[in-house]
Amino acid sequence: MSASPVYLDAATAAPLHPVARQALLAALDDGWADPGKLYTQARRARQLLDAARAAAAETLGVRPDELSFTPSGTAAAHAAVLGGLAGRRRVGRRLVHSAIEHSAVLHAAERHVADGGEATSVPVDRLGGLDVDVWAAAVRAPGVALAALIAASHEVGTLQPVSEAAAACADAGVPLYVDAAQAVGRVPVPGGWSVLSASAHKWGGPAGVGLLVVRKGTRWESPYPADERESGRTPGALNLPAVVAAAASLRAVAADAAAEAARLSPLVDLIRSRVAAEVPDVEVVGDPERRLPHLVTFSCLYVDGEALLHALDRRGFAVSSGSSCTSSTLRPSHVLEAMGVLSHGNVRISLHRETSAADVERFLAELPGIVAALRAEAGVVGL
Amino acid sequence: MPDEVLDCRGQRCPLPVIAVARRMPELPVGTVVRVLADDPAAAVDIPAWCRMRGQEFLGTVTGPDGPAYDVRRHH
Ligand SMILES: Cc1ncc(COP(=O)(O)O)c(C=O)c1O
């Protein structure tokens, strides 16, 4: 029996938005020259870059000169953390971050610590929400150079209390960096931050484009060798056609974001309730209300996460997992670990503009049988 | 001290959790089982299993045999 493919991993990479495809193709013809040069072709490229920057800045509500394009969301996160720390090294060398940051932020933190800096990890509750009291105490400690908070968890979808965290940072005089990779183009991002990053392939732009926003007046210093492109914030020649496509699609998805959220959020509610009701011994994780509109995560007791991913793939479903057996390090997701929820048999579903109610219905119809078959195979039925 | 030791070293998750789930019903209520498990996921999944199943997680002990998790049969 053949199964038509249903892609449910938009939080890794959303399918290319038609506006992105159109802009990309046009810019391949028009935007190949180096925007820094002084001839006609370069001026055309410069116009495209300026227009892309203006559009992205307008969508995010920031000034164009505050926004730089980077080679990925990861590169933007590294620059945000290391640049934010470097800019305030005279104040201190401590980074405060949540326990559920993306690995890009945690790896930058590890680099900082290896270089003699310090880091404080702030816990989350069982639903994956930041402990704001611990956060407020942590940012008030002496010598804090920067605080980093993910806007919404990429693994469980829980929206973080960005406004409260930003208020605590403002009281303490500590700049806040927000990794908004899963939020931009989906939900409004609260203000109060000094540095923000995002990633185009999460909203339907091409992979290999990130955004780094450094608000005016923020003490931020490039962690890279000198390079004057992108206001000196990120080195190297940009992939201009991809940047143009990223900015065009960002504008398009932001315009549709409220309507898409209203369409997808009930589908996530449906997945949450039906998985809990129809798959025995399952733990649906993350905050049921304060959450992204398109993302849901659950763990199936006694089921091997890798086996579950393969079984779903055989039935045409592409999903992601935080289980240790699916990671290259063979460690469980640090997010699930920080929340204290079951990490094996874990599945993350993330929806996008091409996801239909029928896709979700087919997934929900097939999942209980797939899980039951794996449990029967492993001899764990009735445990 | 535990009443029994389940050696799950070398087993990858979910196997250590399955081993506890199999053994528990065979033991009297109140029995303490120490699960030796070196898979890092066990540190998350054994306490989570206890919570889901209403069993009592007593804590993590790290000894010469590596990480171990004490669980008491509660019902
Ligand atoms: C929250 C978050 N931050 C950063 C990144 C990294 O973005 P990119 O894939 O563009 O490197 C991701 C993507 O996995 C993410 O989900």
Side-chain angles (χ1 to χ4, degrees):
Chain A
M1 202 165 51
S2 75
S4 60
V6 174
Y7 182 80
L8 298 172
D9 196 18
T12 296
L16 197 64
H17 193 285
V19 166
R21 173 183 300 276
Q22 211 175 22
L24 183 64
L25 291 175
L28 283 173
D29 286 333
D30 232 11
W32 48 268
D34 187 324
K37 298 295 178 183
L38 295 176
Y39 33 74
T40 308
Q41 297 87 337
R43 276 193 292 279
R44 178 65 190 132
R46 167 58 63 183
Q47 281 169 355
L48 288 173
L49 178 56
D50 289 347
R53 193 184 318 283
E58 193 190 347
T59 305
L60 295 181
V62 302
R63 294 165 37 142
D65 61 356
E66 295 174 324
L67 185 146
S68 300
F69 294 104
T70 71
S72 65
T74 298
H78 291 168
V81 171
L82 298 176
L85 290 166
R88 289 198 6 120
R89 74 167 81 74
R90 269 166 231 89
V91 178
R93 299 210 64 196
R94 182 171 293 278
L95 169 70
V96 171
H97 62 80
S98 84
I100 60 160
E101 295 305 300
H102 188 266
S103 56
V105 171
L106 295 181
H107 288 150
E110 281 163 20
R111 162 63 62 86
H112 176 64
V113 170
D115 289 345
E118 295 166 306
T120 304
S121 178
V122 176
V124 295
D125 61 21
R126 178 72 35 82
L127 297 178
L130 182 74
D131 186 326
V132 179
D133 293 335
V134 176
W135 172 274
V139 297
R140 264 199 312 272
V144 176
L146 182 71
L149 179 62
I150 194 164
S153 170
H154 58 300
E155 291 206 22
V156 300
T158 302
L159 294 175
Q160 298 304 311
V162 173
S163 297
E164 291 94 317
C169 286
D171 279 348
V174 170
L176 174 66
Y177 155 53
V178 170
D179 175 356
Q182 295 296 342
V184 164
R186 300 274 183 187
V187 290
V189 180
W193 45 266
S194 298
V195 182
L196 176 135
S197 67
S199 166
H201 67 147
K202 313 297 183 187
W203 69 67
V209 180
L211 302 182
L212 173 65
V213 182
V214 179
R215 296 317 299 261
K216 219 174 146 46
T218 304
R219 278 196 273 162
W220 183 94
E221 200 175 286
S222 171
Y224 304 118
D227 187 309
E228 69 263 18
R229 285 170 281 209
E230 293 300 294
S231 307
R233 294 193 194 110
T234 172
L238 286 173
N239 180 351
L240 183 56
V243 163
V244 168
S249 54
L250 176 58
R251 202 209 309 251
V253 298
D256 287 346
E260 265 299 88
R263 185 180 77 85
L264 296 179
S265 197
L267 292 177
V268 164
D269 282 333
L270 186 71
I271 297 171
R272 292 187 73 96
S273 60
R274 287 215 11 220
V275 166
E278 294 170 20
V279 180
D281 290 324
V282 78
E283 186 166 45
V284 181
V285 302
D287 197 306
E289 275 140 35
R290 284 179 57 110
R291 59 165 176 79
L292 288 168
H294 67 298
L295 195 153
V296 47
T297 302
F298 54 87
S299 297
C300 306
L301 197 55
Y302 309 136
V303 174
D304 181 294
E306 189 176 11
L308 183 51
L309 246 55
H310 288 310
L312 285 167
D313 182 49
R314 278 195 296 278
R315 297 298 308 149
F317 300 107
V319 304
S320 191
S321 172
S323 295
S324 54
C325 47
T326 66
S327 84
S328 54
T329 57
L330 293 180
R331 289 197 66 83
S333 140
H334 65 278
V335 176
L336 302 177
E337 186 174 357
M339 293 165 64
V341 298
L342 200 66
S343 79
H344 67 248
N346 180 258
V347 170
R348 180 188 72 181
I349 307 287
S350 46
L351 316 180
H352 51 90
R353 56 184 294 284
E354 293 172 17
T355 309
S356 67
D359 292 338
V360 170
E361 185 52 49
R362 185 160 86 77
F363 176 79
L364 290 172
E366 295 203 26
L367 180 71
I370 290 170
V371 172
L374 289 170
R375 283 181 174 150
E377 217 172 282
V380 296
V381 178
L383 276 189
Chain B
M1 274 318 281
D3 301 301
E4 176 168 320
V5 174
L6 268 183
D7 190 351
C8 301
R9 284 174 295 176
Q11 295 180 12
R12 278 173 49 183
C13 255
L15 296 179
V17 176
I18 293 172
V20 196
R22 283 220 170 94
R23 188 66 185 126
M24 242 0 160
E26 300 166 354
L27 300 168
V29 170
T31 307
V32 175
V33 174
R34 174 164 294 179
V35 190
L36 304 180
D38 46 16
D39 184 315
V44 188
D45 288 354
I46 291 176
W49 176 84
C50 291
R51 179 170 49 74
M52 288 171 82
R53 279 288 185 261
Q55 303 295 357
E56 193 179 352
F57 181 69
L58 299 176
T60 305
V61 240
T62 303
D65 300 323
Y69 308 92
D70 285 354
V71 178
R72 179 187 283 130
R73 182 166 177 198
H74 190 69
H75 59 83

